[in-house]
Amino acid sequence: MSLTPEPMVILGTFRSGTSAVATALGHLGVFFGEEKEFQPADEFNQGGYFEIRDFQSLNSKILAAYGMNFYQLDRLPEDWRDTPGVTTLIGEIRGLLNRKFGGKERWGWKEPATTVLMPLYKEALAAEGVTAPRYPICVRHPLSVAASQNARQSKWGYKEPGKGEIAPVEDRTVGLWVHYTLSGLRETRGGYRQVIWYEDFLQNPRADLERLTRDLKTWQPTEEQMKAAASSVKPEWSHSRFTVDDLREWPEVVGRTYDVSMRAYKDPDGFMAGKFDAEVDELWDEWGTVSKMARPIQLPAGQMIFTWMERGRQNEHAERYSPTGTWQTFRGAVPVPQAVDVVLDPYQTPCQIWIRKAVWHTGNSERRAILGPGPNGALDDLFGMKRLTIFGPHALMVQGAPGAGPIEFEMEFKVITGQAVLNDLVNMLRARLEQTRRATASPYGMGRRK
């Protein structure tokens, strides 16, 4: 079953009215999935979230692949297409879209993380021949979003940490609001996009819905559906009212993002035509700079440390380098004798390293280096590459260099750290400990002594 070309892809920060828009579109006949697949309704979204759990899981997986998570300000790297497994990830998006929406005339989805992952989703939609998606971009005053998020977390029992330990919920939520809002405004250019201003939508949803469904080629809502959709939206859902003046004490980029969003909402034709794109790009670049300044260094300088035995004596050679977090190439002379196996420590911090090329150079010849895991490393074959997980020293074994004469080692690699990698490391270590426990356990549950 194929996908029809005009889905509704709801974007925006969490707590910004995405569920209200999904509720209304559902009354227009847009299929968002089977109710049993949705995250269940609660007191904060009594009408339901309209978020398929499989989309939440897949988006979490994609974020982790890029060292991101739902509550970070990190953006997709410019070389996101070069990330190992990206073809597989896009294939998973395509498969999920087909499984959930194949053969549906009116369809769409809502999951806030899609907003910051739009480059992958746009590529998946294009590959499926989905030519005219519509993007309602939900925008709510950032302090209202923060107040709603704060109320929800307080209800869940969250307590703010001590002063100075971490930014409070309000600060972090406003930062995420800027990040998600600019992502939505920026990544939808060239498509049919429309800002949905939360407070106005609750008062007069019909105006936004009529514009959003205008000139659809494959379907149109009936008058009865439009009335039902408008009546499904309740003005009392808005519990706070702020203005642009309330943002004066915040960094300028917050107020300017609010301002350009409001102008894009009031001038939808200009927004569609790209009238605000240059301004959004300027804010995006400025926000990226601020985010980098606020983020601690994740990849300090390291060394390529080569260790080998020669005539009963251990030898070591080290070459300094600075990991970039992107693909980079190391090539250096190594005074290792011919045919001697080498222990290689590519980095001195627990991390994962993707390796797409490893070769020995001797004279004018080049030969592939045979790699294996060391005692403190795990080496996997994934997506046609090697992924080295480093737990500690002596993580990688390299089979002896061939040939005689000066020897150089070359490796094309990418160092990845961050919370997602640490989670992988913890899970791998747990699996190793469990394997060891089972191997040494007696039938009576006591470890054997050796």
Side-chain angles (χ1 to χ4, degrees):
M1 293 185 290
S2 60
L3 295 167
T4 55
E6 296 178 311
M8 293 287 179
V9 185
I10 301 176
L11 305 177
T13 319
F14 52 88
R15 317 308 301 160
S16 287
T18 55
S19 297
V21 172
T23 297
L25 289 174
H27 283 280
L28 298 185
V30 177
F31 178 75
F32 287 100
E34 300 290 345
E35 187 173 348
K36 63 184 180 181
E37 299 178 314
F38 291 156
Q39 177 183 341
D42 58 27
E43 61 186 295
F44 298 101
N45 267 28
Q46 296 182 9
Y49 285 87
F50 293 88
E51 294 176 16
I52 296 177
R53 287 186 290 268
D54 287 351
F55 271 93
Q56 295 173 336
S57 297
L58 179 55
N59 282 347
S60 294
K61 180 178 179 179
I62 297 171
L63 290 169
Y66 287 97
M68 305 161 64
N69 70 52
F70 195 83
Y71 293 104
Q72 282 181 345
L73 301 182
D74 295 308
R75 59 180 65 174
L76 283 174
E78 293 183 6
D79 64 344
W80 65 267
R81 287 185 177 84
D82 293 330
T83 295
V86 67
T87 302
T88 300
L89 293 173
I90 291 173
E92 290 191 34
I93 294 174
R94 295 175 63 182
L96 184 58
L97 293 175
N98 275 287
R99 288 195 305 276
K100 303 302 181 184
F101 308 117
K104 300 294 183 182
E105 180 188 26
R106 310 179 188 190
W107 62 282
W109 79 93
K110 174 224 153 187
E111 206 291 310
T114 303
T115 310
V116 296
L117 298 175
M118 275 307 300
L120 284 86
Y121 274 91
K122 286 191 294 186
E123 196 148 311
L125 290 170
E128 288 296 321
V130 178
T131 55
R134 298 210 165 193
Y135 301 107
I137 306 166
C138 300
V139 179
R140 185 182 185 185
H141 195 288
L143 297 184
S144 292
V145 174
S148 180
Q149 178 70 354
N150 203 7
R152 180 165 67 169
Q153 294 212 24
S154 297
K155 189 70 174 181
W156 288 346
Y158 174 82
K159 295 182 179 179
E160 292 283 9
K163 185 177 180 180
E165 293 180 22
I166 191 171
V169 169
E170 184 181 49
D171 291 20
R172 301 199 305 274
T173 303
V174 170
L176 287 165
W177 179 88
V178 174
H179 189 63
Y180 275 67
T181 300
L182 289 176
S183 293
L185 298 177
R186 186 173 186 269
E187 296 299 341
T188 54
R189 65 186 57 182
Y192 191 102
R193 52 185 179 163
Q194 178 181 336
V195 172
I196 306 290
W197 201 266
Y198 179 74
E199 285 78 8
D200 286 4
F201 180 72
L202 296 189
Q203 299 299 321
N204 183 20
R206 178 153 187 158
D208 286 321
L209 294 171
E210 287 179 346
R211 178 174 291 279
L212 190 58
T213 56
R214 185 179 64 183
D215 300 326
L216 282 165
K217 300 294 191 297
T218 56
W219 64 277
Q220 277 293 320
T222 66
E223 176 62 21
E224 183 179 356
Q225 288 175 325
M226 189 62 75
K227 288 181 178 178
S231 64
S232 72
V233 180
K234 310 300 181 185
E236 60 268 22
W237 287 346
S238 180
H239 303 294
S240 55
R241 180 71 66 169
F242 295 96
T243 70
V244 68
D245 291 337
D246 296 305
L247 298 176
R248 288 180 177 175
E249 301 299 319
W250 291 82
E252 186 180 350
V253 67
V254 180
R256 288 167 57 204
T257 300
Y258 178 91
D259 180 65
V260 74
S261 301
M262 176 62 82
R263 285 185 283 119
Y265 166 65
K266 292 181 177 180
D267 185 6
D269 293 333
F271 179 47
M272 282 282 295
K275 178 179 177 179
F276 307 102
D277 287 353
E279 189 175 350
V280 169
D281 282 342
E282 181 181 344
L283 286 166
W284 181 250
D285 291 341
E286 180 180 333
W287 180 243
T289 300
V290 171
S291 300
K292 290 177 183 177
M293 290 171 63
R295 188 181 303 120
I297 296 174
Q298 292 186 346
L299 295 170
Q303 299 181 81
M304 287 277 181
I305 303 176
F306 301 83
T307 307
W308 67 94
M309 297 299 295
E310 184 179 4
R311 298 173 185 170
R313 179 182 175 186
Q314 180 172 298
N315 294 270
E316 184 176 291
H317 176 79
E319 295 278 350
R320 294 183 180 276
Y321 76 96
S322 294
T324 62
T326 59
W327 287 105
Q328 61 189 114
T329 299
F330 166 85
R331 180 167 175 171
V334 184
V336 59
Q338 178 184 355
V340 171
D341 292 343
V342 176
V343 175
L344 175 57
D345 291 315
Y347 198 51
Q348 287 66 63
T349 299
C351 66
Q352 287 179 338
I353 296 181
W354 288 90
I355 303 170
R356 62 184 182 190
K357 180 181 181 181
V359 296
W360 290 109
H361 293 276
T362 53
N364 294 322
S365 67
E366 175 183 296
R367 186 173 297 182
R368 182 170 66 92
I370 307 301
L371 306 179
N376 286 311
L379 193 64
D380 302 301
D381 289 296
L382 296 170
F383 314 121
M385 294 174 237
K386 301 283 189 182
R387 186 186 69 177
L388 174 66
T389 302
I390 297 177
F391 303 104
H394 303 161
L396 185 65
M397 302 293 294
V398 187
Q399 198 174 90
I407 296 173
E408 289 186 318
F409 180 74
E410 179 183 355
M411 189 166 81
E412 190 175 351
F413 65 103
K414 182 177 184 177
V415 181
I416 301 177
T417 61
Q419 188 62 48
V421 172
L422 290 176
N423 290 342
D424 276 352
L425 289 167
V426 169
N427 290 334
M428 287 184 180
L429 286 171
R430 283 177 176 168
R432 285 189 173 192
L433 289 171
E434 178 63 18
Q435 187 178 22
T436 302
R437 186 191 68 79
R438 290 180 178 179
T440 59
S442 75
Y444 305 101
M446 301 294 290
R448 291 196 189 102
R449 291 188 177 182
K450 295 186 178 180

